[in-house]
Amino acid sequence: MNQTTLNSSQSRVTRFAFILGTITAFGPLSIDLYLPALPSIAKQFRAEMGVAQLTLSVFLIGMMAGQSFYGPLADRFGRKRPMLFGSTLYTLASIGCALSASIGSLILMRLAQAIGGCAAQVIPGSVVRDSFDPKESARMYSMLMLVMGLAPITAPLIGGQLLVFFGWRALFWFLAGFGLLCLTLVTFCLPETLPVERRDTTSLTQTLVVYKRLLSDRRFVGYALTGGCVSAAMFAYIAGSPFVFIDLYGVKPQNYGWIFGVNAFGLIAAAQVNRRLLKHYRGDVILSRMLVVIAVSGIALAIIASSRKFELAGLLPPIFVCVAGAGFIFPNSAAAAMAPYGQVAGRASAMLGTLGLAVGASSGILVGLLQNGTALPMCGVMALCTISALTVFRTMARRPSRQLTSQPS
């Protein structure tokens, strides 16, 4: 490969990473931006904290349900048109959130926002699968995490400042502006990666057959649930941390983002280390090692929370390891699950996301149901999820060798 071709290839990868990473930030930005405002929203609408947390849980449920809808659309109509529809719906729903007059209407608008935004969770994975081989796909997912990882770092910081100076409604006006930005990127910068001759024309019945095939593939489900259980630990942290940090330990809302941002930075850094490791080691070997690390950290977190002898500083190190460790888990589990399904990448990506969010949404709800005025519900659910991820990987997904076997780059 000559230098001109190499530079062109690198430029293409960088452009894809920027566009797709920005689009994929719909999810984390929509969740993380308003986390510091949850106590304020509960107070304004005179709702219990558990009810206010439903605005998070219903968002996750909407994301989960909508993905099975966008997968077949992306395989039938290409990648751009469903993404344009989703971006438009997300923008309008964000405006609806900003104008909500009750907690009920806010929950409803959050559901619509999720159904629009979940297009950004399905379609970028399909674009990556269209454009790169399995090994390069794993590296590309790691690059996407570098770009989209700016959202969980900056979102709580931005959200905290907007909350202090303009109130919680400003957060959703900000999200409406972000939706408009993504709509512009999709319209003018995202190429169509699924040619007409490769588009799927199967019926609804045949689509259901594909979903049945995916769900009957033990390996696919194993990798999907491995990533899903780690996502569930993340969602338990996301759902519980506003109460634990702000209400329980007295962290100011505008400072909450700094703690959240440090953990998010760990996630990004881990994803980039993973990208380099993939030049030398198999993805399932990296998965196996890191799942043990985060499971041990999850257990330590639950023990620390149950003892009640530690301040916030005692919880932060194991939380950091659990969150950062996800940077090794997500790219490798997604690439391994998607590898055999190039012809139905849209539906495979949708099912991958649906399974992951099904587990994730349940963990957020569980944290709310177990709320007892301590950090134990959040920490205990995180421990349960990390242990489950390791168990599922070892029993359902590919079993790695005992040696850290190298592979050619």
Side-chain angles (χ1 to χ4, degrees):
M1 181 182 294
N2 60 42
Q3 190 62 41
T4 301
T5 303
L6 181 61
N7 290 339
S8 176
S9 176
Q10 291 174 340
S11 175
R12 174 173 173 267
V13 169
T14 301
R15 185 177 69 253
F16 261 64
F18 173 77
I19 296 171
L20 296 179
T22 301
I23 293 171
T24 310
F26 263 129
L29 193 62
S30 301
I31 294 169
D32 302 338
L33 185 77
Y34 91 123
L35 288 178
L38 272 177
S40 298
I41 292 173
K43 289 176 183 177
Q44 175 161 347
F45 290 127
R46 298 180 181 179
E48 296 292 334
M49 189 63 181
V51 176
Q53 286 176 338
L54 283 177
T55 60
L56 172 62
S57 298
V58 79
F59 185 87
L60 299 178
I61 292 170
M63 293 279 282
M64 175 187 68
Q67 291 199 41
S68 58
F69 168 72
Y70 284 105
L73 289 182
D75 286 337
R76 179 182 290 269
F77 298 109
R79 311 311 187 195
K80 287 193 67 164
R81 289 165 66 185
M83 192 67 239
L84 288 169
F85 171 80
S87 299
T88 301
L89 177 58
Y90 176 90
T91 302
L92 295 175
S94 297
I95 295 173
C97 289
L99 299 175
S100 294
S102 68
I103 191 68
S105 61
L106 178 59
I107 290 173
L108 182 62
M109 286 296 101
R110 284 287 283 173
L111 179 62
Q113 191 186 40
I115 293 173
C118 70
Q121 307 306 305
V122 175
I123 294 172
S126 304
V127 172
V128 170
R129 184 60 185 83
D130 291 340
S131 309
F132 302 94
D133 62 34
K135 182 178 178 181
E136 287 300 319
S137 290
R139 295 181 183 175
M140 187 64 182
Y141 285 128
S142 294
M143 289 188 68
L144 288 183
M145 292 188 71
L146 174 62
V147 179
M148 68 175 285
L150 292 175
I153 289 179
T154 59
L157 297 173
I158 295 171
Q161 298 305 313
L162 288 174
L163 177 64
V164 169
F165 291 104
F166 302 104
W168 65 266
R169 295 182 190 275
L171 308 181
F172 292 106
W173 287 114
F174 181 92
L175 291 176
F178 180 76
L180 189 59
L181 169 65
C182 289
L183 183 59
T184 303
L185 283 176
V186 172
T187 302
F188 298 106
C189 302
L190 182 67
E192 177 58 70
T193 58
L194 186 66
V196 174
E197 62 273 13
R198 286 178 50 203
R199 294 181 187 178
D200 185 77
T201 57
T202 57
S203 65
L204 174 61
T205 301
Q206 291 170 312
T207 294
L208 294 176
V209 169
V210 172
Y211 281 144
K212 181 179 178 182
R213 173 189 167 197
L214 291 168
L215 290 173
S216 65
D217 183 344
R218 182 182 179 89
R219 177 181 173 278
F220 176 87
V221 174
Y223 279 116
L225 291 182
T226 297
C229 288
V230 176
S231 293
M234 295 276 288
F235 285 127
Y237 161 67
I238 290 168
S241 60
F243 168 77
V244 172
F245 294 168
I246 297 173
D247 288 352
L248 190 60
Y249 289 104
V251 175
K252 294 181 179 179
Q254 59 267 37
N255 294 331
Y256 166 85
W258 292 107
I259 300 175
F260 201 90
V262 168
N263 292 327
F265 177 79
L267 174 67
I268 297 171
Q272 303 321 300
V273 173
N274 178 71
R275 184 163 61 94
R276 295 182 180 277
L277 288 176
L278 283 167
K279 295 180 180 179
H280 307 288
Y281 304 111
R282 298 197 315 268
D284 60 349
V285 176
I286 299 172
L287 266 174
S288 178
R289 300 299 185 263
M290 289 310 304
L291 285 167
V292 172
V293 171
I294 66 172
V296 171
S297 297
I299 294 170
L301 183 60
I303 292 173
I304 292 170
S306 62
S307 70
R308 302 186 186 181
K309 295 180 180 179
F310 297 87
E311 296 298 324
L312 180 59
L315 298 177
L316 293 180
I319 288 176
F320 177 85
V321 174
C322 289
V323 174
F328 294 96
I329 309 304
F330 294 153
N332 294 314
S333 60
M338 291 282 290
Y341 294 106
Q343 294 301 314
V344 289
R347 279 162 289 181
S349 180
M351 183 56 65
L352 185 67
T354 298
L355 290 173
L357 281 173
V359 181
S362 64
S363 73
I365 294 172
L366 186 59
V367 170
L369 292 175
L370 295 176
Q371 188 61 255
N372 64 355
T374 73
L376 187 57
M378 179 188 80
C379 299
V381 173
M382 289 180 69
L384 175 64
C385 293
T386 55
I387 294 169
S388 298
L390 177 61
T391 303
V392 168
F393 176 78
R394 290 191 168 181
T395 57
M396 296 185 67
R398 183 182 302 167
R399 187 181 298 274
S401 66
R402 293 185 178 274
Q403 301 298 321
L404 197 63
T405 307
S406 298
Q407 67 179 22
S409 59

